[in-house]
């Protein structure tokens, strides 16, 4: 049996990310993740990234080490890392969500007027990504 894990991290963008920047990130991530057997969800807003990666432990760990070295972000913090029975984000090699009415509604439920994931506990970050994946944007 494989060792399936979910790694969730947050980080700060080193600059504002344009839609073109996000498309570039997602295009590469989707192709790369598919070849590695990894699925996940990425959220970007207010210069914060939050991402969940799910898959075989060694593949997720190696991918995370590459991601953490990316110059487009800093202050990378792993908020949770756990073994799971099955992935949550199987529909997406890399799903994506950013500022939308649904995103704003979810933030309001978490008592946030703007996205500040550093102020959320790990379970709320996971719940936010799970809810956003159901309304994933096609980028």
């Amino acid at each position: 049996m494989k060792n399936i894990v979910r790694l969730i991290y947050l980080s700060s963008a080193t600059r504002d990310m344009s839609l073109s920047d996000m498309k570039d990130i997602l295009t590469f991530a989707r192709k790369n993740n598919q070849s590695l057997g990894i699925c996940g969800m990425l959220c970007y807003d207010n210069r914060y990234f939050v991402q969940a990666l799910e898959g075989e432990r060694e593949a997720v760990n190696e991918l995370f080490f590459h991601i953490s070295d990316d110059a487009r972000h800093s202050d990378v913090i792993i908020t949770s890392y756990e073994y799971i029975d099955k992935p949550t984000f199987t529909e997406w090699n890399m799903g994506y969500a950013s500022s939308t009415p649904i995103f704003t509604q979810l933030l309001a439920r978490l008592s946030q007027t703007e996205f500040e994931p550093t102020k959320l506990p790990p379970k709320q970050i996971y719940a936010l990504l799970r809810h956003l994946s159901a309304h994933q944007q096609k980028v």
Side-chain angles (χ1 to χ4, degrees):
M1 184 173 157
K2 290 185 177 182
N3 293 314
I4 306 297
V5 297
R6 176 183 306 114
L7 182 153
I8 300 176
Y9 74 89
L10 61 89
S11 62
S12 300
T14 53
R15 61 178 174 77
D16 286 330
M17 294 287 144
S18 68
L19 184 58
S20 177
D21 291 327
M22 295 311 300
K23 283 182 179 180
D24 290 345
I25 290 169
L26 291 165
T27 298
F28 180 80
R30 287 170 177 154
K31 181 178 178 184
N32 191 48
N33 290 0
Q34 183 175 15
S35 70
L36 296 171
I38 292 175
C39 58
M41 184 70 192
L42 174 65
C43 180
Y44 173 76
D45 193 55
N46 196 29
R47 290 186 72 166
Y48 284 107
F49 291 104
V50 174
Q51 184 171 23
L53 301 169
E54 297 176 329
E56 196 275 326
R57 184 184 69 190
E58 285 185 33
V60 168
N61 292 352
E62 190 170 320
L63 177 59
F64 175 73
F65 288 126
H66 289 293
I67 290 170
S68 64
D69 284 338
D70 193 313
R72 292 174 287 198
H73 66 159
S74 62
D75 304 321
V76 179
I77 300 167
I78 295 174
T79 62
S80 64
Y81 185 95
E82 61 188 326
Y83 288 92
I84 56 175
D85 293 326
K86 63 180 186 169
T88 299
F89 305 105
T90 55
E91 292 183 43
W92 316 111
N93 294 116
M94 185 49 56
Y96 174 67
S98 66
S99 191
T100 62
I102 289 168
F103 183 72
T104 304
Q105 289 170 3
L106 289 171
L107 289 180
R109 284 191 214 158
L110 298 171
S111 301
Q112 289 197 350
T113 55
E114 63 180 14
F115 190 44
E116 292 184 76
T118 57
K119 295 182 178 181
L120 296 174
K123 285 185 179 186
Q124 285 185 333
I125 292 172
Y126 170 66
L128 177 70
L129 290 172
R130 196 178 72 246
H131 288 297
L132 288 172
S133 72
H135 304 281
Q136 198 257 168
Q137 291 173 248
K138 302 292 183 194
V139 174

